[in-house]
Amino acid sequence: MSLLVEKTASGREYKVKDMTQADFGRLEIELAEVEMPGLMACRTEYGAAQPFKGARITGSLHMTIQTAVLIETLTALGAEVRWCSCNIFSTQDHAAAVIARDSAAVFAWKGETLQEYWWCTERSLDWGPGGGPDLIVDDGGDATMLIHEGVKAEAEYAKSGALPDPSTTDNPEFQIVLTIIRDGLKSNPTKYTKMKDRMVGVSEETTTGVKRLYQMQISGSLLFPAINVNDSVTKSKFDNLYGCRHSLPDGLMRATDVMIAGKVALVAGYGDVGKGCAMSLKQAGARVIVTEIDPICALQALMEGLQVLTLEDALPEADIFVTTTGNKDIIMVDHMRKMKNNAIVCNIGHFDNEIDMLGLETYPGVKRTTIKPQTDRWVFPDTKSGIIILAEGRLMNLGCATGHPSFVMSCSFTNQVIAQLELWKEKGTGKYVNQVYILPKHLDEKVAALHLGKLGARLTKLSKDQSDYISIPIEGPYKPAHYRY
Amino acid sequence: MSLLVEKTASGREYKVKDMTQADFGRLEIELAEVEMPGLMACRTEYGAAQPFKGARITGSLHMTIQTAVLIETLTALGAEVRWCSCNIFSTQDHAAAVIARDSAAVFAWKGETLQEYWWCTERSLDWGPGGGPDLIVDDGGDATMLIHEGVKAEAEYAKSGALPDPSTTDNPEFQIVLTIIRDGLKSNPTKYTKMKDRMVGVSEETTTGVKRLYQMQISGSLLFPAINVNDSVTKSKFDNLYGCRHSLPDGLMRATDVMIAGKVALVAGYGDVGKGCAMSLKQAGARVIVTEIDPICALQALMEGLQVLTLEDALPEADIFVTTTGNKDIIMVDHMRKMKNNAIVCNIGHFDNEIDMLGLETYPGVKRTTIKPQTDRWVFPDTKSGIIILAEGRLMNLGCATGHPSFVMSCSFTNQVIAQLELWKEKGTGKYVNQVYILPKHLDEKVAALHLGKLGARLTKLSKDQSDYISIPIEGPYKPAHYRY
Amino acid sequence: MSLLVEKTASGREYKVKDMTQADFGRLEIELAEVEMPGLMACRTEYGAAQPFKGARITGSLHMTIQTAVLIETLTALGAEVRWCSCNIFSTQDHAAAVIARDSAAVFAWKGETLQEYWWCTERSLDWGPGGGPDLIVDDGGDATMLIHEGVKAEAEYAKSGALPDPSTTDNPEFQIVLTIIRDGLKSNPTKYTKMKDRMVGVSEETTTGVKRLYQMQISGSLLFPAINVNDSVTKSKFDNLYGCRHSLPDGLMRATDVMIAGKVALVAGYGDVGKGCAMSLKQAGARVIVTEIDPICALQALMEGLQVLTLEDALPEADIFVTTTGNKDIIMVDHMRKMKNNAIVCNIGHFDNEIDMLGLETYPGVKRTTIKPQTDRWVFPDTKSGIIILAEGRLMNLGCATGHPSFVMSCSFTNQVIAQLELWKEKGTGKYVNQVYILPKHLDEKVAALHLGKLGARLTKLSKDQSDYISIPIEGPYKPAHYRY
Amino acid sequence: MSLLVEKTASGREYKVKDMTQADFGRLEIELAEVEMPGLMACRTEYGAAQPFKGARITGSLHMTIQTAVLIETLTALGAEVRWCSCNIFSTQDHAAAVIARDSAAVFAWKGETLQEYWWCTERSLDWGPGGGPDLIVDDGGDATMLIHEGVKAEAEYAKSGALPDPSTTDNPEFQIVLTIIRDGLKSNPTKYTKMKDRMVGVSEETTTGVKRLYQMQISGSLLFPAINVNDSVTKSKFDNLYGCRHSLPDGLMRATDVMIAGKVALVAGYGDVGKGCAMSLKQAGARVIVTEIDPICALQALMEGLQVLTLEDALPEADIFVTTTGNKDIIMVDHMRKMKNNAIVCNIGHFDNEIDMLGLETYPGVKRTTIKPQTDRWVFPDTKSGIIILAEGRLMNLGCATGHPSFVMSCSFTNQVIAQLELWKEKGTGKYVNQVYILPKHLDEKVAALHLGKLGARLTKLSKDQSDYISIPIEGPYKPAHYRY
């Protein structure tokens, strides 16, 4: 697509695939609202007070229907919002269209190139002359990373006049990042520094982004406060686990229509995501093999009747391979060559480097046939045997299906709203310094409570006597911080 | 669509949606072939002998990718084939295109009107002057029913000169059938009678069609031999059960993206289809309520931890309603009015009359909003509450998703091939009279055996001594006829 | 025990382990009655009419608490009853005691020798001078077999004067049978013939006994009518399946306290019993491997995510071995030698010859240590490795636990009562000849219906219109005979 | 039993039920050792060094076979041990016998009175003139509590001469504790103070005990360092969860033989124990209703398809009630009166006050019938309806069955050994002050690793490159402290 920003009649910027899908997007948003009681409760509770009045929020998070409901919750609470997706395949174009038309500046479409992806990220951070956003909703940490890299480059430039050199890295994506920063530096040498100065904080959605934040905290390089939303119980133990239990088979079915029953499936990694994946594959009738580095998670898999082996052990018999590790180089091209014909290989964990896509693409003589978008068959010249790669190695549930369903995203996104409210409320109070924080348990419990009514649940209430007996307040929080659920 | 038959370069007739999808269809067929070991084994075993040489086969069965592999198995064995779908929403247009281009006369597209549907059925039965097909592959019995109704009308016409009168029935679909027959009668008053005379037999795919056949057998009106493929163990206990376990959540997810976990789902009917549906909903984290008329099936549901209630009991709490009964009038418009807002209502069992679509469509003031094709929200004027109807009340797994996966269809369709071979081989021998037959157990076991290797299974073999001890031949059949699996 | 018949104050004969346990038995019977609604409903429905008045019923069926409720149902309906167990380990001594004290002549205790076992069987068939019983409730067919063998021997003796020669068989148990008959012949050369003449019919409980009956039917040697209770749906699809799902882990836990989670379990045979066993092991967290000879059952196992291999394949990794085949020589001593140390080996299917107990007992140098009754560790001299054999290779759920729970036995035993009523009602009418019959479907459905209320289920009722549409009576039967559930 | 200490030939004190069961205990210990790889690995790793040389360890923890293997691991590492059970019903008498005979001073039998229970506890703490133990292995905190109460009373006595007055408390058990302390005070007014002075530390096994410790830490009254073993991942996420998944149905089956399938079961509390219980009941075919105070745990239950209601809601339909809350007054006598006839009521969570046993026992006119030990039927005079109470309201898995299986206890107890080693090694170093500590993650992971081989698992190893990429050491620890598993 040509990278020109468009504007709505009201002057709001956007760049999306197809504005005619906005009505369809609105219909799906209306369905989703019924499934997202936490977000709707936030609108009811906080809408009148307009707590985000004056706040500029940039989001870098899969531009789906569920995210649309999040965005419109933020705007209902008074925020101005700019948004991009955090994955080149995860945008739902009708969601992007309706938000662009009705609610916020959006830069996102399904099937971006990496170049386009970073252009969108930059657009969503660019609030014009007055600097960047006040708050960021991040997923995977790309928006945060861009600011941090930008600030670093600007400091070096101010000191030595040196520009970042994209040729210093092998990573093609990071080359793009450095190029963007370099090109920006010339026209505005303090762009990211000003952004950083304005920033009140970021709330981060996912494991990978959180890991980056803690690394920056440890190295002392974190430039603004961060709330780790991922590790709210109502996020990681719901979205990561139950979301993937839902969306993994959904992605497999939409992409390949393959029967899961009777197959042998390998799940690499048995964290929350891996647990959800393994559960759904087992329940669909597959025999599941797990790979793990952590003996505790391995023992959990065994207690569920799953086999724990190495990837090499399972190569001759597995039909479906799913990576969920958050690490790189899990399935290499040499593994793929040894797989059964039409073995399905996909990633639901992290970046596309869980699968050695580079190795596959550059394998001599390999032939790629696109069955349909996000479903490719790659045939090796020596064996004539093919494997099926989903979503080009990127998150298959977002690339091949529609991501996690509304209800579980309502849990995650209610945490986001609460985190953003907290950061904004405490702006300037010094409560949050440049560190990573987890939401207090009573807020986590509140998020859960907002989702019970929809499912017809009725909670039990402690009596005063019981509360005294176990030294737990009647209204909670109910568990010590170290409790694992 | 304009109902004009088109022709390929080679002169074969067809009517499909979009011939440009043929290449995509071929790619998906190639994937499916790897998943359909039974059909591919038939090609290997019988291909050289061309046992269907000279046979004309008409099929009325969902025109999907899996059916494409069936059709190309029949043609690989020497048959000439004409095909239509047995459901207005079940055709996969890329499958229809590739078969039309490469292998057989196809009259089918996704989203036919009822008028178009019966035109397609008639086309697929029309082999030109020499009469109709030798053999029919039927699903639901519409092709068989059209011949039987035609013969009846022709007999009446020959006797009394009376034409069928569509106004004698309330059923709009049957009005179309009578109209077609009436219109044909004028030009060719022995068309269906000649068809009947040529017919060697039919093999019927599904419960509903089989029920019709047994009723005709009992009433003595069955006009040609029929093989009941549905009640092969490797059909009804696999396709109906495990196929639906796979395709129900697939259809729900594609149509609505709704989270199944935490929801209350009502499954009407606990036969093989209902069992598969209930199993998948339970495993996805729903709480499942079953309705049943049969106390035995009800007790089975209870033993699996499911609640057995009436539909009325469950109306206030269920979020998802699935009909699987093979009966009519299961969910009436009065039930729908009492459902929760955005309750999902769908049918995976039989015709669209399991759900009272007529009552819904004619409810005063009801408003229909199409979210996307096959997903409609209907809002009642009094309650302002809406329900979501999938696939207009027709089979939701075929309307909203792609039907059953290849592997399980390979079991069903290998039974079809074997049944067709048997009918054709015994043509004129008198082995089969105008009755309904089930395939002998050793063929059923053979179908299963053809599907084990793909899943890495290794069978145990009886010793001579063990075989004597239990009086079962080493090579099978292994079970008495009454065995229930 | 010394084999002397004892008598109650009222003169009824018995031989049990410990009469002081009668009160405990009564308490457990009272609990069981609440869980056996089908039997209690029979008392309510038929008790007043005393339909069994004048009938002598001999039972050869595990003398458990559940059987006690069956026996007292038979007597409540007017019958006189004599009973023995059909397995040397399956008697619950408190159940035997209370029945002996209160209700029927019982000859049974836990831990009979084979000699004692057949003595008990003979006692239960011996109704004194007037011949044998009118009716038999059989389980496994031993009582029926004894009469048949007796009649055969008496015929030969009448013809040639030859006595049966126990030395003509290798089978130690059959030697005992022949000895009993031989010894009886001398004093009463027409005992079994008179028994046969009086016999109205037998109802047989289980797969193995039914198989024997069909073999006699085929060979024309069946001496009286038989009702195959095993193949009532409410028996084989409940007792065999759900009963074993309950009692297999129960037996494993009581016998060994071993953790099932994380273990590899091999289930030999995937019929109803095997399905129940595999299900419970899988759900308890084991990884389950199935062996099968029948490709259809094998494919079912695969669809449930189970691995299908041969016993030899699984020897190095399995921790628990369960035989459910109904065949002999499934696990041989050579297999046992190759198992992991402390592998558990047990049988829940059929006779103790599923496991090669003879081969084990006679293995040179093998050493047996009884951990506790029915739990033995056998150590091989060469490997020093031991295996754990449960219940000496006999039914482990009855030997090591208390068999199937009351509720599911109520289903089975209500079938027994109905079968016995039917045979007795039709005595002399010629309705039943010397063949094997299955109960008609409406009675099968009745059994199920009697068990729904206890579980809080509410059935749906067909409307007249629906009933007409599917040609099924409102009151049932609801399914064709070939339906598999 | 008469409370006289006995002595072995070697002079070691003990009080057990039946010394003749020692051989049986030894056989079961030998089986358990094969299932407890973590403990056996400790013997191999540390045995030669005798790290516990000179250490006196008192244990107050269910005196089962698994505990016997723990005790013999402690003695194999050089410790002297005295032991009592922490529950009046949990002792396995053969386990107590063999340990008393071979390894340690034991004071424990199944079915102690409360009076006897506290006598045993006191005996196990009494190491003679030199004071008490160096280390305590505690479960529920009774041994720790006795010392704390004793010290408190001695301080008061030293100050004011006042003796503790048992009549100041309503709690009959606490009256006994005060009596014991009071009676001891007279003869030795510094007994507990000296004990406290000698104490190096305690390692606590379970949730309830840990809660007491944290309360003492908060109030500043904790008298010695404590290691919270319960919250090792390899304890609470294994023993509590998978242990109960195993032992709940085991206890139900042994106590009542009731069929779980088809029943409605209420699980009060959805922590680790509740999760394990709900899982096993659901998998056995029950319909499970959960009660919760914590909205997060409630939402987890919903995601698994369980219904979340209040106890009052479920009273009319539940057949089985299980308390797992760790709180008191969960099921009151007024609830019990409204239950269905023969509803089963049991506790697997905490003390017998989860169930209102006092209310039941004192209900006017209530009648108790003991079916067998630990299984009582209580009939209310007004309704004539009865309920079944297991283990008199105490832990039913230990009272009615044999507790958790060896394998999962090996995980827990390996944590205990490591905790004791750590406390003893750091004696006098000041590393541990009077606070509660959790074992470091690398030790937790070590415990898991020791249990993988037995189950045939093969771990994956990080490459150097991967380790750098995610900043996790190749050898672990693999997760941040807040990770929830």
Side-chain angles (χ1 to χ4, degrees), chain D residues 94-171:
Chain D
H94 61 320
V98 64
I99 290 299
R101 186 189 69 186
D102 297 349
S103 304
V106 175
F107 308 89
W109 53 96
K110 189 174 184 78
E112 298 160 0
T113 63
L114 285 176
Q115 199 77 45
E116 290 166 347
Y117 172 80
W118 284 102
W119 179 85
C120 289
T121 305
E122 201 198 11
R123 281 306 87 216
S124 72
L125 283 170
D126 187 349
W127 287 79
D134 298 300
L135 296 162
I136 292 178
V137 174
D138 215 352
D139 182 325
D142 277 355
T144 298
M145 188 261 267
L146 184 55
I147 297 178
H148 279 72
E149 290 296 329
V151 168
K152 196 159 65 179
E154 288 171 1
E156 180 62 33
Y157 183 69
K159 207 174 75 183
S160 70
L163 290 169
D165 178 1
S167 73
T168 55
T169 175
D170 282 347
N171 182 318

Side-chain angles (χ1 to χ4, degrees), chain A residues 210-211 214-215 228 230-234 236-238 241-242 245 270-272 275 279 290-300 302-304 308-311 313 326-330 350-351 353 407-408 411 438 441 444-449 451-452 455-462 465-472 478-479 481-485, chain D residues 210-211 214-215 228 230-234 236-238 241-242 245 270-272 275 279 290-300 302-304 308-311 313 326-330 350-351 353 407-408 411 438 441 444-449 451-452 455-462 465-472 478-479 481-485:
Chain A
V210 160
K211 184 166 292 196
Y214 281 113
Q215 288 170 0
N228 165 2
N230 180 69
D231 287 301
S232 288
V233 187
T234 48
S236 58
K237 294 291 261 186
F238 287 84
L241 181 70
Y242 297 118
R245 184 177 70 173
Y270 198 66
D272 289 318
K275 283 176 172 75
M279 211 188 309
V290 163
T291 67
E292 250 302 341
I293 57 165
D294 180 335
I296 296 178
C297 296
L299 196 57
Q300 290 184 302
L302 292 161
M303 291 297 101
E304 298 296 346
V308 177
L309 294 174
T310 66
L311 177 59
D313 293 328
N327 204 340
K328 67 173 186 176
D329 296 344
I330 304 305
H350 172 72
F351 300 128
N353 62 357
F407 186 83
V408 84
C411 295
I438 293 183
K441 191 163 293 291
D444 214 346
E445 292 177 354
K446 176 178 177 170
V447 171
H451 289 84
L452 296 179
L455 303 182
R458 295 163 50 105
L459 277 186
T460 299
K461 214 178 160 77
L462 284 178
D465 202 31
Q466 288 177 316
S467 165
D468 291 346
Y469 180 70
I470 56 170
S471 304
I472 285 177
Y478 300 101
K479 299 288 189 303
H482 64 257
Y483 190 72
R484 295 194 188 86
Y485 298 88
Chain D
V210 160
K211 186 168 292 196
Y214 281 113
Q215 288 169 0
N228 166 0
N230 180 68
D231 286 301
S232 288
V233 188
T234 48
S236 58
K237 297 288 262 186
F238 288 84
L241 180 71
Y242 297 117
R245 183 176 73 175
Y270 198 66
D272 289 317
K275 285 176 173 74
M279 211 188 309
V290 164
T291 67
E292 249 303 339
I293 57 166
D294 181 335
I296 297 178
C297 296
L299 197 55
Q300 289 183 303
L302 291 161
M303 291 297 104
E304 297 295 346
V308 177
L309 294 174
T310 66
L311 178 60
D313 294 327
N327 204 338
K328 68 172 185 176
D329 295 345
I330 304 307
H350 173 71
F351 299 129
N353 61 356
F407 187 83
V408 84
C411 294
I438 294 183
K441 191 162 292 290
D444 215 347
E445 293 177 350
K446 176 178 177 172
V447 171
H451 290 85
L452 297 178
L455 303 182
R458 294 162 51 106
L459 278 185
T460 298
K461 214 180 163 76
L462 284 177
D465 203 30
Q466 289 176 317
S467 164
D468 292 345
Y469 180 70
I470 55 169
S471 304
I472 285 178
Y478 299 102
K479 298 289 189 302
H482 65 257
Y483 190 73
R484 296 197 187 84
Y485 297 88

Side-chain angles (χ1 to χ4, degrees), chain A residues 17 25 97 124 164 178 198 205 224 252 259 284 306 384 428 454 459:
Chain A
K17 178 89 103 297
S124 71
L178 292 184
R198 184 179 181 114
E205 178 75 5
F224 36 78
L252 282 173
M259 185 148 197
L306 309 176
K384 304 296 175 208
K454 165 78 182 165
L459 277 186

Side-chain angles (χ1 to χ4, degrees), chain C residues 194-447:
Chain C
K194 272 191 236 146
M195 253 187 224
K196 181 255 307 183
D197 291 342
R198 184 180 181 112
M199 271 292 291
V200 173
V202 62
S203 57
E204 167 59 43
E205 177 74 5
T206 199
T207 316
T208 294
V210 161
K211 185 166 292 194
R212 285 177 168 183
L213 289 171
Y214 281 113
Q215 287 169 1
M216 288 193 283
Q217 171 176 312
I218 288 166
S219 69
S221 59
L222 186 61
L223 297 175
F224 36 79
I227 292 185
N228 165 2
V229 163
N230 180 69
D231 287 301
S232 290
V233 187
T234 48
K235 201 279 175 181
S236 58
K237 294 289 263 188
F238 287 84
D239 186 350
N240 305 16
L241 181 70
Y242 297 117
C244 290
R245 183 178 68 173
H246 179 105
S247 66
L248 175 78
D250 192 13
L252 282 173
M253 287 165 168
R254 295 200 208 204
T256 71
D257 293 313
V258 83
M259 185 149 199
I260 298 171
K263 296 296 194 303
V264 177
L266 180 134
V267 176
Y270 198 67
D272 288 319
V273 170
K275 284 176 173 74
C277 292
M279 211 187 310
S280 65
L281 290 165
K282 181 182 176 186
Q283 288 169 337
R287 182 158 64 85
V288 179
I289 298 169
V290 163
T291 67
E292 251 299 342
I293 58 166
D294 180 335
I296 297 178
C297 296
L299 196 55
Q300 289 183 303
L302 291 162
M303 291 296 103
E304 299 295 348
L306 309 176
Q307 199 166 8
V308 177
L309 294 174
T310 66
L311 178 58
E312 286 74 15
D313 294 328
L315 284 179
E317 57 174 341
D319 300 286
I320 301 169
F321 295 81
V322 184
T323 60
T324 79
T325 68
N327 204 340
K328 68 173 185 176
D329 296 345
I330 304 306
I331 299 182
M332 306 307 290
V333 69
D334 263 0
H335 297 130
M336 299 184 225
R337 284 183 52 235
K338 293 171 188 156
M339 290 176 181
K340 289 162 76 170
N341 184 34
N342 283 8
I344 296 168
V345 179
C346 61
N347 165 37
I348 193 171
H350 173 73
F351 299 129
D352 58 343
N353 62 356
E354 295 219 14
I355 299 170
D356 179 19
M357 290 308 296
L358 188 65
L360 179 62
E361 288 155 10
T362 58
Y363 189 86
V366 76
K367 180 160 165 278
R368 169 182 178 174
T369 307
T370 297
I371 310 293
K372 56 188 175 188
Q374 332 293 350
T375 306
D376 294 295
R377 184 161 188 262
W378 295 76
V379 179
F380 291 99
D382 30 7
T383 62
K384 304 296 176 207
S385 179
I387 61 166
I388 315 287
I389 296 275
L390 304 191
E392 304 186 10
R394 294 175 187 269
L395 296 178
M396 60 79 77
N397 54 343
L398 283 152
C400 300
T402 60
H404 290 180
S406 301
F407 187 83
V408 84
M409 293 317 297
S410 180
C411 295
S412 300
F413 286 168
T414 306
N415 277 290
Q416 282 287 8
V417 172
I418 288 175
Q420 292 277 316
L421 282 171
E422 179 70 10
L423 286 168
W424 185 242
K425 191 181 68 175
E426 300 296 339
K427 174 191 177 187
T429 66
K431 178 172 176 185
Y432 296 106
V433 298
N434 294 355
Q435 293 198 349
V436 188
Y437 299 87
I438 292 184
L439 285 177
K441 191 162 291 292
H442 73 94
L443 292 179
D444 214 347
E445 293 177 352
K446 176 178 176 171
V447 171

Side-chain angles (χ1 to χ4, degrees), chain D residues 220-291:
Chain D
S221 60
L222 186 61
L223 297 175
F224 35 78
I227 292 185
N228 166 0
V229 162
N230 180 68
D231 286 301
S232 288
V233 188
T234 48
K235 201 281 174 179
S236 58
K237 297 288 262 186
F238 288 84
D239 186 352
N240 304 17
L241 180 71
Y242 297 117
C244 291
R245 183 176 73 175
H246 179 107
S247 66
L248 175 79
D250 191 14
L252 283 172
M253 287 166 167
R254 296 199 208 203
T256 71
D257 292 314
V258 82
M259 185 151 197
I260 298 171
K263 296 298 194 302
V264 177
L266 180 132
V267 176
Y270 198 66
D272 289 317
V273 170
K275 285 176 173 74
C277 292
M279 211 188 309
S280 65
L281 290 164
K282 181 182 178 187
Q283 288 169 339
R287 181 159 65 84
V288 179
I289 298 170
V290 164
T291 67

